[in-house]
Amino acid sequence: MALEHLFQGSALNAVDAKGRVSIPAFLRSVVERRGDARTIVLAKHEAFPCLSAYDPAYAALKHAKLERLLEKEETSADAQLEYQQRNLMAFAATEEVPYDSSGRILMPPMMRRKGQIGDLALFLGTGETFQIWNPQLLLDDARIPKDLKDIARYRLEERGAQA
């Protein structure tokens, strides 16, 4: 299963005290082209201190990827346990969040904590999915390429925020 529409681009949006934030229009348009739901799925990213987000239809693709990975690793004694652990993280540790006509979501408190999202959320398209970062965590992460940090700094300057 290939995806026709990919998430790309970046934006920085404010998060209010209740956790409301607008999903950028360029990301919402991909969600809507992929399916009917005006919903995103939020999950803790596997490698970075941020959230991973995608449309509900992507979950089936994610499941198929995990199944293929299990088939490759079946010779491993621990493959079944690893598969179950990955499934738990991929599906149990997620939250589906609807957005309104203006693209605003109410970020669930658990997800907000998992992503360490404060009063700003940096949205980054990553192809099949997109990420939601606390911009300061991105700037402080040594694994993040300099060019991406420059994008985060630019987005912060656009808003008049300090990097």
Side-chain angles (χ1 to χ4, degrees), residues 7 23 31 37-44 51-60 62 89-99 105 108 111 129-130 132:
F7 295 105
I23 304 299
V31 170
R38 296 187 107 185
T39 302
I40 62 168
V41 179
L42 297 174
K44 171 73 178 84
L51 298 176
S52 181
Y54 46 89
D55 58 292
Y58 178 73
K62 194 172 186 177
M89 290 308 299
F91 299 104
T94 64
E95 291 201 42
E96 276 197 31
V97 184
Y99 56 85
I105 65 166
M111 286 296 144
T129 65
F130 61 96
I132 306 172

Side-chain angles (χ1 to χ4, degrees), residues 78-129:
D78 296 327
Q80 190 62 38
L81 176 60
E82 289 173 15
Y83 171 76
Q84 294 300 329
Q85 290 170 333
R86 285 186 184 126
N87 264 343
L88 279 169
M89 290 308 299
F91 299 104
T94 64
E95 291 201 42
E96 276 197 31
V97 184
Y99 56 85
D100 64 19
S101 59
S102 65
R104 198 170 54 178
I105 65 166
L106 178 60
M107 194 175 294
M110 181 183 74
M111 286 296 144
R112 196 167 177 193
R113 184 178 351 166
K114 290 281 184 194
Q116 301 177 57
I117 305 298
D119 60 350
L120 292 172
L122 179 65
F123 292 85
L124 301 172
T126 61
E128 294 179 340
T129 65

Side-chain angles (χ1 to χ4, degrees), residues 3-154:
L3 296 174
E4 270 183 61
H5 309 286
L6 299 175
F7 295 105
Q8 46 192 340
S10 66
L12 183 69
N13 287 345
V15 181
D16 74 12
K18 293 182 180 178
R20 291 179 297 221
V21 63
S22 289
I23 304 299
F26 65 90
L27 298 173
R28 290 192 321 265
S29 69
V30 174
V31 170
E32 291 165 15
R33 283 183 288 190
R34 287 183 177 183
D36 297 335
R38 296 187 107 185
T39 302
I40 62 168
V41 179
L42 297 174
K44 171 73 178 84
H45 193 277
E46 297 167 8
F48 295 116
C50 68
L51 298 176
S52 181
Y54 46 89
D55 58 292
Y58 178 73
L61 182 60
K62 194 172 186 177
H63 184 265
K65 285 180 177 187
L66 288 171
E67 290 288 317
R68 285 193 304 277
L69 193 57
L70 175 64
E71 289 171 10
K72 280 184 183 177
E73 297 177 350
E74 277 185 344
T75 56
S76 164
D78 296 327
Q80 190 62 38
L81 176 60
E82 289 173 15
Y83 171 76
Q84 294 300 329
Q85 290 170 333
R86 285 186 184 126
N87 264 343
L88 279 169
M89 290 308 299
F91 299 104
T94 64
E95 291 201 42
E96 276 197 31
V97 184
Y99 56 85
D100 64 19
S101 59
S102 65
R104 198 170 54 178
I105 65 166
L106 178 60
M107 194 175 294
M110 181 183 74
M111 286 296 144
R112 196 167 177 193
R113 184 178 351 166
K114 290 281 184 194
Q116 301 177 57
I117 305 298
D119 60 350
L120 292 172
L122 179 65
F123 292 85
L124 301 172
T126 61
E128 294 179 340
T129 65
F130 61 96
Q131 295 174 359
I132 306 172
W133 281 83
N134 171 326
Q136 198 57 54
L137 289 179
L138 182 135
L139 291 170
D140 293 343
D141 195 314
R143 301 168 294 171
I144 302 298
K146 180 187 178 309
D147 287 343
L148 194 54
K149 289 182 181 189
D150 288 343
I151 291 170
R153 282 187 199 93
Y154 174 78

